[in-house]
Amino acid sequence: MFDLSTLNPPQRQAVETIHGPVLILAGAGTGKTRVITHRIAYLLRKGFAPGNILAVTFTNKAAREMQERVRKLIPSGPKRERGKRNKEDRPTICTFHSLCVRILREHIEKLGYKKNFVIYDESEQLGAIKKILANISAKGEKTDPSAVLQMLSKFKNGGERAVGFGDPNVYALAQHVAKRYETALHACNAVDFDDLILLTLRLFREHPNALEACRAKYRYVMADEYQDTNGSQFELIHSLTKVHRNFCVVGDDDQSIYGWRGAEIANLLDLEKHFPEVKIIKLEQNYRSTNTILNAANALIKNNARRRVKTLWSDKGDGNKISLRAFETDEDEAREIVATIEFNRLAKRVTWAQNAILFRTNLQSRPIETALRTAGVRYHLIGGQSFFDRREIRDLIAYLKTFINPHDDISLLRIANTPARGLSDVTMERLLGASHERKESVFATMKNPTVTTTFQTRTREAIETFVELIERNQGELNYRSHHVWLPDAPAPAPTEAELAAPLRHQKPHSLSAWTEVFLNETGYLVDLRRTEKDTEAGDNRVRNLKDFIATMDNAGEPTDSLHDQLQDFLENVTLDSDREDEEDKAGDAVTLITMHSCKGLEFPHVYVVGLEDGLLPHSRSKVEGTLDEERRLFYVAVTRAMLSLTISHCAGRKKYGQVMPCHPSQFLKELPADLIETDAEKSKKPVEATTGKSLFAAMREATQ
């Protein structure tokens, strides 16, 4: 129920200041959502019309949470006849885009659209772009429509940083496509997601009466996460509020980490330029973390020169020191962190769900996921795709499964035209249909001359080449299964047949080496780079493959044949995947999450990995001038921790199967030494009696 006495003084001041412009500087964990929802409830209690109250945020999840909290604070409201309620009976709490849909449904006819306009999803947008590219591209020219779409989105959302570092060829093509794309959508009475705000702003500029109607309706406006607004979102809020000036924005410049997608921190920092009379209220009492964690965060972020000063504090006590750990490699880092999680589970009854591992990029998840799988620890990945679900990994596994069993239709169909080798969807559909008629596998059908002779010469040759690829690699596995030797033993003398064979038959008998050979022969790696929107993305996918391939030689025994090693490897991967699917449904699991995705979340025990120059701060930060944003990203990661925080770095990190040297992040020097505890310092401390007692009890439990 609604009770202002539950708020601290600055929170209460923020709730009760309802007239004029207000900026609530809400530091991490200071209860900003609580303040926003109480502010809405306060306006309702004061008798303001619900229909005049607007609160906008960035995600549907956040909007739903606010709506639910307001309903709990103000459970009943005005009732209509027969118990029905009108939209005007409740405040508008929605995302920026949902707000614009509401406005456009009422006024879009003024812009030449019909009220029943449709909003294109990504697949429909791609379809429109593909049609345009087909008309303007030179014959044989290959372009990635998704890359063009992404660039068009960046054009619309503004921000020089958002478009300044993409592929110049894609940039130029997107400029060429932009006008045709808008014309095509308009002809279909369609808009895309980005158009929603832009069309609303155009409506306001060209039809002041529509703007006045919206201003009259939304007289009390609140905007959440204001530091993440882009130019268009700022203009939308400014247009609605610059006359009545009854608005409240909530944000934290220290948590502005989305500049790369167009967010403009200046919207918050320079608010006084547009509203000189703005009232600024700071929320600094943190309800999440210990003071040790908060003092470290404060010391870190004060190195950013341009910021609104605030100092987080807590009444939760100092807590434990921050653990700083150094490892030789990223695989050592992953194994030791997982070992720590398991020790704490047994000795201190810390559940898996109480732990989170944070990293700068999704590429870092591979050794962590592998270590968790090996230890049998449940986990789920947030804000990214599981390493084992990435396209390139699934493609490789499909290839390997096909070589083991070419009658596996699912795997064969996945890689038949990957990379493109003349086996179009139409061709594969015909082959699949013929295989069903004959009650045989697609591979068997591809070898059936009765079927293949019905195709044109070029297609028939493509089928034959693909069959030969599969059979040749099958032969490689079987051939090598009879030519296995211990790693320390001398290789047997080559036979005459081996000497006369192609060079590939004289390669070392290694599963990873054989895999790299056939991938290069298929042209898959080249195609993988080519089909990505930029060079870095392509390189990352190749790196994923290289790292995955490097783990293959750990399968089976050294004396096993390559065929047997491959079977063991595929079996382990499949079983692990099945386990992961089951465990995703379970609540107790370690959270793996990127730093960009963790904002708004909290965990009792947090592990921040990869604090190395080049990763954090990212190597691009010096070129792009984004060092401050990289520091804010680290600050966000640090402030997710409630009880304990572990930060780690490596002397070497595996890249393309090779361990590359790394150097500790410059940000580590900005953390106060008296708040940090290294492994050497920790080892000198006596073990708590309760820890040994709990661990012994857990071990006894496990053996009974």
Side-chain angles (χ1 to χ4, degrees):
M1 294 295 290
F2 184 69
D3 183 5
L4 290 180
S5 67
T6 62
L7 305 176
N8 65 39
Q11 288 177 332
R12 183 159 183 168
Q13 182 189 10
V15 168
E16 294 179 329
T17 308
I18 57 177
H19 296 294
V22 179
L23 168 60
I24 302 174
L25 284 174
T30 57
K32 69 175 180 66
T33 304
R34 181 178 178 83
V35 168
I36 295 174
T37 53
H38 273 72
R39 200 171 192 274
I40 295 171
Y42 183 75
L43 287 167
L44 294 172
R45 280 294 181 91
K46 297 290 282 185
F48 292 95
N52 291 153
I53 301 171
L54 168 66
V56 290
T57 187
F58 279 86
T59 67
N60 288 313
K61 181 182 178 182
R64 286 193 296 269
E65 183 182 350
M66 285 189 194
Q67 292 167 354
E68 184 59 29
R69 289 200 190 187
V70 171
R71 277 195 290 268
K72 288 180 178 178
L73 291 170
I74 310 291
S76 61
K79 293 185 179 179
R80 300 288 181 181
E81 294 181 6
R82 300 179 183 177
K84 294 182 179 180
R85 297 187 64 184
N86 190 289
K87 287 184 178 180
E88 299 301 316
D89 294 332
R90 55 185 183 269
T92 300
I93 304 174
C94 61
T95 65
F96 282 94
H97 293 93
S98 295
L99 170 65
C100 291
V101 170
R102 294 174 185 231
I103 295 172
L104 291 173
R105 289 292 181 202
E106 188 172 351
H107 300 285
I108 200 169
E109 289 178 319
K110 295 180 174 69
L111 299 177
Y113 292 81
K114 298 177 182 178
K115 282 190 176 182
N116 64 342
F117 67 89
V118 296
I119 304 171
Y120 271 10
D121 61 19
E122 186 175 354
S123 65
E124 292 164 327
Q125 291 174 264
L126 285 172
I129 290 173
K130 286 177 182 177
K131 288 181 180 178
I132 297 169
L133 292 176
N135 290 328
I136 67 173
S137 299
K139 188 175 181 181
E141 182 183 357
K142 294 184 178 181
T143 53
D144 183 4
S146 59
V148 175
L149 177 59
Q150 289 180 13
M151 189 62 70
L152 288 175
S153 180
K154 290 176 179 179
F155 288 162
K156 293 181 180 182
N157 287 301
E160 185 176 341
R161 281 177 54 196
V163 299
F165 296 91
D167 187 321
N169 295 325
V170 175
Y171 183 93
L173 183 59
Q175 286 185 312
H176 192 54
V177 167
K179 185 64 178 177
R180 290 178 171 85
Y181 174 72
E182 295 304 322
T183 302
L185 263 64
H186 197 173
C188 299
N189 196 40
V191 301
D192 65 23
F193 201 66
D194 297 316
D195 286 332
L196 295 172
I197 295 179
L198 295 180
L199 286 173
T200 302
L201 293 175
R202 180 185 153 198
L203 174 73
F204 288 169
R205 289 192 298 270
E206 297 178 4
H207 301 276
N209 58 327
L211 174 58
E212 291 304 317
C214 292
R215 286 173 176 169
K217 177 178 176 62
Y218 301 119
R219 299 198 59 82
Y220 297 90
V221 178
M222 284 160 275
D224 190 20
E225 302 285 8
Y226 198 65
Q227 77 281 348
D228 295 334
T229 55
N230 59 29
S232 300
Q233 290 158 339
F234 169 82
E235 188 179 346
L236 179 67
I237 296 296
H238 189 264
S239 298
L240 288 172
T241 61
K242 71 177 181 180
V243 174
H244 60 65
R245 308 179 85 78
N246 293 324
F247 77 89
C248 172
V249 296
V250 185
D252 181 11
D253 52 309
D254 292 337
Q255 297 187 75
S256 179
I257 59 175
Y258 300 124
W260 51 275
R261 68 183 188 194
E264 297 181 18
I265 193 174
N267 293 344
L268 188 147
L269 293 176
D270 300 335
L271 193 61
E272 291 95 331
K273 292 181 180 179
H274 306 278
F275 299 92
E277 75 275 31
V278 64
K279 176 77 172 178
I280 300 175
I281 303 170
K282 294 182 182 180
L283 305 183
E284 297 174 297
Q285 182 177 358
N286 178 284
Y287 293 91
R288 174 186 300 157
S289 309
T290 65
N291 277 310
T292 294
I293 294 169
L294 296 177
N295 290 339
N298 291 331
L300 172 73
I301 203 64
K302 74 177 183 181
N303 290 282
N304 279 4
R306 191 164 185 254
R307 59 182 289 264
R308 294 184 181 271
V309 179
K310 64 191 81 65
T311 304
L312 298 182
W313 61 276
S314 170
D315 61 6
K316 294 182 177 295
D318 290 340
N320 296 324
K321 286 189 175 184
I322 296 168
S323 178
L324 178 60
R325 306 189 68 180
F327 300 100
E328 286 298 313
T329 69
D330 51 344
E331 292 179 343
D332 294 334
E333 178 184 53
R335 280 194 299 269
E336 289 300 315
I337 286 174
V338 172
T340 301
I341 290 172
E342 278 297 87
F343 177 84
N344 289 336
R345 183 175 68 90
L346 295 172
K348 301 179 181 180
R349 296 296 194 255
V350 177
T351 64
W352 285 327
Q354 292 176 293
N355 298 277
I357 303 174
L358 278 55
F359 36 82
R360 175 64 172 79
T361 72
N362 277 312
L363 292 172
Q364 296 170 257
S365 76
R366 196 273 308 164
I368 300 169
E369 289 189 70
T370 299
L372 289 164
R373 287 166 176 258
T374 301
V377 177
R378 302 188 192 111
Y379 72 92
H380 61 277
L381 185 70
I382 300 175
Q385 188 181 35
S386 170
F387 180 84
F388 298 90
D389 287 333
R390 293 183 170 100
R391 169 168 65 88
E392 61 273 20
I393 304 301
R394 287 195 174 277
D395 285 348
L396 174 57
I397 290 172
Y399 265 111
L400 298 173
K401 285 183 175 180
T402 301
F403 295 152
I404 288 288
N405 175 23
H407 303 292
D408 174 2
D409 285 352
I410 300 299
S411 297
L412 184 143
L413 290 169
R414 180 179 182 95
I415 53 94
N417 206 42
T418 305
R421 51 173 64 92
L423 300 176
S424 67
D425 289 351
V426 174
T427 297
M428 297 312 298
E429 286 168 6
R430 284 182 59 186
L431 289 168
L432 184 61
S435 74
H436 281 216
E437 290 175 1
R438 288 161 173 75
K439 296 184 170 57
E440 61 186 11
S441 70
V442 174
F443 183 69
T445 302
M446 296 176 91
K447 295 178 65 177
N448 189 331
T450 306
V451 176
T452 56
T453 53
T454 64
F455 289 88
Q456 294 183 353
T457 302
R458 183 180 296 178
T459 303
R460 185 170 65 253
E461 289 173 351
I463 295 171
E464 291 169 354
T465 300
F466 182 62
V467 169
E468 192 272 334
L469 169 71
I470 294 173
E471 291 184 333
R472 185 177 71 246
N473 280 280
Q474 276 190 298
E476 288 268 324
L477 290 171
N478 293 328
Y479 171 83
R480 294 184 179 188
S481 70
H482 302 291
H483 296 74
V484 178
W485 56 85
L486 289 170
D488 297 332
T495 65
E496 290 186 13
E498 287 174 322
L499 291 171
L503 183 61
R504 61 178 287 129
H505 290 287
Q506 302 172 39
K507 295 286 185 181
H509 290 204
S510 151
L511 189 58
S512 61
W514 169 78
T515 302
E516 290 209 38
V517 168
F518 89 71
L519 279 178
N520 281 313
E521 287 187 344
T522 61
Y524 181 83
L525 297 178
V526 173
D527 187 71
L528 195 60
R529 284 192 170 97
R530 183 189 59 77
T531 55
E532 283 300 319
K533 61 183 181 292
D534 56 54
T535 303
E536 184 180 7
D539 287 344
N540 285 341
R541 290 199 180 275
V542 172
R543 175 182 170 182
N544 287 338
L545 273 179
K546 296 276 189 179
D547 288 345
F548 186 61
I549 291 169
T551 69
M552 296 176 69
D553 293 333
N554 298 327
E557 298 295 327
T559 54
D560 287 344
S561 70
L562 290 186
H563 184 279
D564 291 344
Q565 288 181 48
L566 180 55
Q567 278 195 318
D568 286 346
F569 177 77
L570 291 174
E571 186 176 290
N572 290 334
V573 169
T574 302
L575 290 175
D576 281 341
S577 298
D578 290 343
R579 189 181 70 231
E580 186 180 51
D581 291 340
E582 292 175 6
E583 291 165 356
D584 282 343
K585 302 173 185 177
D588 189 16
V590 177
T591 296
L592 272 58
I593 188 169
T594 65
M595 297 179 190
H596 280 104
S597 300
C598 74
K599 193 154 70 73
L601 302 177
E602 59 185 35
F603 308 91
H605 307 283
V606 170
Y607 300 83
V608 183
V609 303
L611 260 294
E612 300 135 24
D613 280 333
L615 270 179
L616 191 70
H618 197 279
S619 55
R620 293 197 303 265
S621 61
K622 294 181 180 180
V623 178
E624 300 178 7
T626 56
L627 185 63
D628 282 3
E629 183 163 320
E630 291 291 295
R631 185 178 286 108
R632 292 194 292 269
L633 186 61
F634 185 29
Y635 172 86
V636 167
V638 168
T639 54
R640 298 312 95 192
M642 301 167 68
L643 300 177
S644 77
L645 174 64
T646 299
I647 300 169
S648 60
H649 62 91
C650 304
R653 188 167 295 276
K654 189 170 284 187
K655 188 174 183 180
Y656 300 113
Q658 302 293 319
V659 177
M660 308 299 291
C662 301
H663 302 283
S665 170
Q666 65 185 79
F667 295 151
L668 294 177
K669 300 176 183 177
E670 300 173 1
L671 301 176
D674 61 324
L675 303 178
I676 302 296
E677 183 177 63
T678 64
D679 281 347
E681 294 168 333
K682 193 173 183 179
S683 65
K684 298 176 182 178
K685 296 171 63 178
V687 178
E688 299 176 8
T690 54
T691 298
K693 183 178 179 181
S694 298
L695 183 60
F696 182 72
M699 292 178 69
R700 282 190 63 181
E701 208 175 282
T703 59
Q704 290 177 351

